[in-house]
């Protein structure tokens, strides 16, 4: 863009300084947005935007895919990552790179994003039920667009087929209860006054963060989380426990899927 002063930071040609504004943190349903290209990374074939609705991945949730519209072109976004306060949008190899200072319109692959939102909320429901009813904390978790898994600290003697069926039944009852899902961003000190805010066995929050984003399933679960979620549990549509695995005497895994399309939305 003519007249824009450029500088190079770690291989990225930057037009402006500052972190990327994370629109998804307060609005998971934002499908399109307008932004300015802050920087271009030719080596990764990527752009940095001043604001974005693309989730860059983290906490077990994969990144978003989608497109950037620029100068009449629709440029596929094939991967997204966080890098030193910036969100880096990696484009398809044959897509032309916009220039620093250009205006673009972002568009999410909504089918992918919405399924990941439903899956992530399903995992929080599962986590909430297992913690509330059995006192078990999370030791690990991951998800993809068609399945997810969560590991719990649970004794082998308690991890029976009857217990697994009971967990599935109770989780689906919470989905059918149509509980609201609320997001808040709190000062760190205030957030850590919430009992059992960290549901993982190990606290993974960096010591230097000053604010904590929380996700609450009203009446069931409240925990620190950075991912995207649906607004009400009924949107999950149900979950099925498709597999179990013992990862050791006190580490048990549940694998789940959700229906497609949602049945209760």
């Amino acid at each position: 863009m003519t007249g824009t002063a450029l500088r190079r930071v770690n291989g990225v040609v930057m037009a402006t300084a500052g972190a990327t504004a994370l629109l998804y943190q307060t609005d998971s349903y934002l499908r399109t947005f307008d932004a300015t290209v802050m920087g271009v990374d030719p080596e990764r074939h990527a752009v940095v935007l001043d604001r974005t609705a693309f989730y860059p991945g983290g906490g077990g949730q994969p990144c978003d895919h989608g497109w950037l519209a620029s100068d009449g072109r629709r440029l596929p976004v094939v991967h997204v990552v966080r890098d030193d306060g910036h969100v880096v949008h990696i484009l398809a190899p044959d897509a032309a790179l916009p220039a620093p200072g250009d205006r673009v319109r972002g568009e999410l692959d909504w089918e992918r994003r919405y399924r990941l939102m439903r899956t992530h909320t399903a995992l929080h429901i599962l986590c909430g039920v297992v913690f509330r009813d059995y006192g078990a904390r999370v030791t690990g978790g991951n998800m993809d667009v068609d399945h997810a898994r969560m590991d719990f600290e649970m004794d082998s003697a308690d991890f029976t087929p009857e217990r697994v069926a009971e967990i599935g039944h109770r989780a689906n009852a919470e989905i059918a209860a149509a509980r609201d899902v609320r997001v808040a961003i709190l000062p760190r000190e205030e957030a850590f006054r919430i009992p059992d805010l960290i549901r993982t066995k190990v606290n993974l929050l960096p010591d230097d963060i000053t604010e904590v984003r929380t996700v609450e399933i009203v009446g069931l679960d409240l925990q620190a989380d950075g991912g995207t979620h649906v607004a009400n549990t009924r949107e999950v549509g149900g979950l099925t426990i498709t597999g179990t695995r013992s990862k050791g005497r006190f580490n048990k895994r549940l694998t789940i899927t959700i229906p497609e399309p949602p049945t209760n939305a």
Side-chain angles (χ1 to χ4, degrees), residues 1 4-18 36-50 83 86-89 97-102:
M1 186 175 182
T4 301
L6 304 179
R7 60 193 180 93
R8 185 174 292 272
V9 181
N10 297 327
V12 181
V13 179
M14 300 292 292
T16 57
T36 299
V37 177
M38 293 173 61
V40 176
D41 184 345
E43 184 174 336
R44 287 187 284 186
H45 203 67
V47 297
V48 175
L49 305 179
D50 65 333
D83 187 353
H86 300 125
V87 176
V88 181
H89 305 72
L97 286 174
D102 282 359

Side-chain angles (χ1 to χ4, degrees), residues 74-118:
R74 197 165 184 249
L75 313 174
V77 176
V78 296
H79 195 61
V80 187
V81 296
R82 287 288 294 270
D83 187 353
D84 194 26
H86 300 125
V87 176
V88 181
H89 305 72
I90 299 171
L91 304 185
D94 59 350
L97 286 174
D102 282 359
R103 293 288 291 171
V104 297
R105 168 158 288 193
E107 177 188 350
L108 299 185
D109 178 341
W110 181 247
E111 182 177 353
R112 172 186 171 88
R113 155 64 85 79
Y114 188 57
R115 188 171 182 91
L116 288 170
M117 287 165 57
R118 293 171 55 224

